[in-house]
Amino acid sequence: MADVIHAWHPDVPLVQEVLHAQFEHHAYPSHTHDSWTVLLVDQGTVTYDLDRHEHQTTNSTVTLLPPQVPHDGRSATPDVPFRKRVLYLEPEWLPLGTVEAAAETPMIFDPNVTTTVDQIHATLNDPADVLAAECGVLALRDLVQPHLKLPVDTAADKPLARRLRHLLDDRLEETFTIAEAAAQSGFHDQSHLTRHFRRTLGTTPGVFAA
């Protein structure tokens, strides 16, 4: 079976490109986009590494890949071709602060999100209904944002920094675990803290402390 690729650039605000494709054995090397990638796999299963963490798509579930974060892609079932539909949306479609949250949890298990993405693709078929497509993209943004928790900007949050300083001064002789430090700093959990720490300083908290 030959690979089938259909890509185009619709005249719809916030939409860079649309891709409908079916691949039998194709695998993507690690790469980045300057756009938000909204992926919907209609057939087969795709395994991919995002920010050095492996994930796997499921049918009818939307995957949201943030801009400028490396990822690859390959079929998890080599004997079954995978078919996908992709929206490439401008970086300003979502706030910059949601990039880290999307990299942490790229899968969105929300049937309303899936239905909206499906409807956007339907309106983008030639001839495209520009107004309906634009409304769909904006509606998708509103549906996606509650799934993405904004990370804490500790560098800009001076009140938070002061609270942490006081906390450390008051409990100088006590021992903190990394999981406790993460929670007190406003991160979701230890892994969230570790990823943010590594991106900022290029190493993990444990290695830095040693």
Side-chain angles (χ1 to χ4, degrees):
M1 182 187 308
D3 293 341
V4 178
I5 301 174
H6 180 209
W8 70 100
H9 303 276
D11 188 19
V12 175
L14 295 176
V15 180
Q16 285 188 355
E17 185 178 8
V18 182
L19 172 67
H20 293 180
Q22 179 170 301
F23 294 114
E24 187 171 10
H25 301 296
H26 184 72
Y28 288 94
S30 183
H31 63 287
T32 63
H33 297 285
D34 64 356
S35 59
W36 287 93
T37 302
V38 182
L39 169 67
L40 185 60
V41 176
D42 296 308
Q43 174 184 299
T45 305
V46 176
T47 299
Y48 61 96
D49 291 331
L50 177 67
D51 195 27
R52 299 185 295 275
H53 291 82
E54 186 174 271
H55 301 274
Q56 190 172 88
T57 67
T58 58
N59 288 345
S60 300
T61 298
V62 170
T63 300
L64 182 65
L65 305 178
Q68 306 302 338
V69 179
H71 61 277
D72 58 12
R74 56 206 171 273
S75 176
T77 53
D79 296 332
V80 179
F82 67 88
R83 187 173 70 250
K84 66 176 185 176
R85 291 176 288 167
V86 188
L87 299 171
Y88 297 98
L89 305 178
E90 297 287 356
E92 61 268 25
W93 177 63
L94 285 174
L96 181 62
T98 58
V99 167
E100 185 175 341
E104 183 178 350
T105 54
M107 303 289 289
I108 301 180
F109 299 95
D110 185 336
N112 292 325
V113 171
T114 302
T115 298
T116 301
V117 172
D118 186 66
Q119 291 172 344
I120 294 171
H121 281 285
T123 61
L124 288 170
N125 285 331
D126 192 23
D129 186 337
V130 174
L131 181 59
E134 182 179 1
C135 291
V137 170
L138 296 177
L140 179 63
R141 179 179 62 189
D142 293 339
L143 288 171
V144 163
Q145 289 199 75
H147 296 274
L148 303 175
K149 296 180 179 179
L150 290 173
V152 175
D153 186 355
T154 56
D157 190 350
K158 293 182 180 179
L160 174 61
R162 284 196 294 268
R163 291 199 303 271
L164 290 174
R165 180 71 266 173
H166 292 320
L167 177 67
L168 292 173
D169 290 341
D170 292 342
R171 302 175 64 180
L172 187 62
E173 296 181 359
E174 297 182 37
T175 300
F176 284 93
T177 66
I178 293 180
E180 289 173 338
Q184 292 287 350
S185 301
F187 292 92
H188 306 313
D189 53 24
Q190 178 181 340
S191 62
H192 185 199
L193 168 64
T194 300
R195 281 192 290 275
H196 185 79
F197 195 98
R198 186 176 59 226
R199 284 177 179 171
T200 303
L201 298 179
T203 187
T204 64
V207 172
F208 183 83

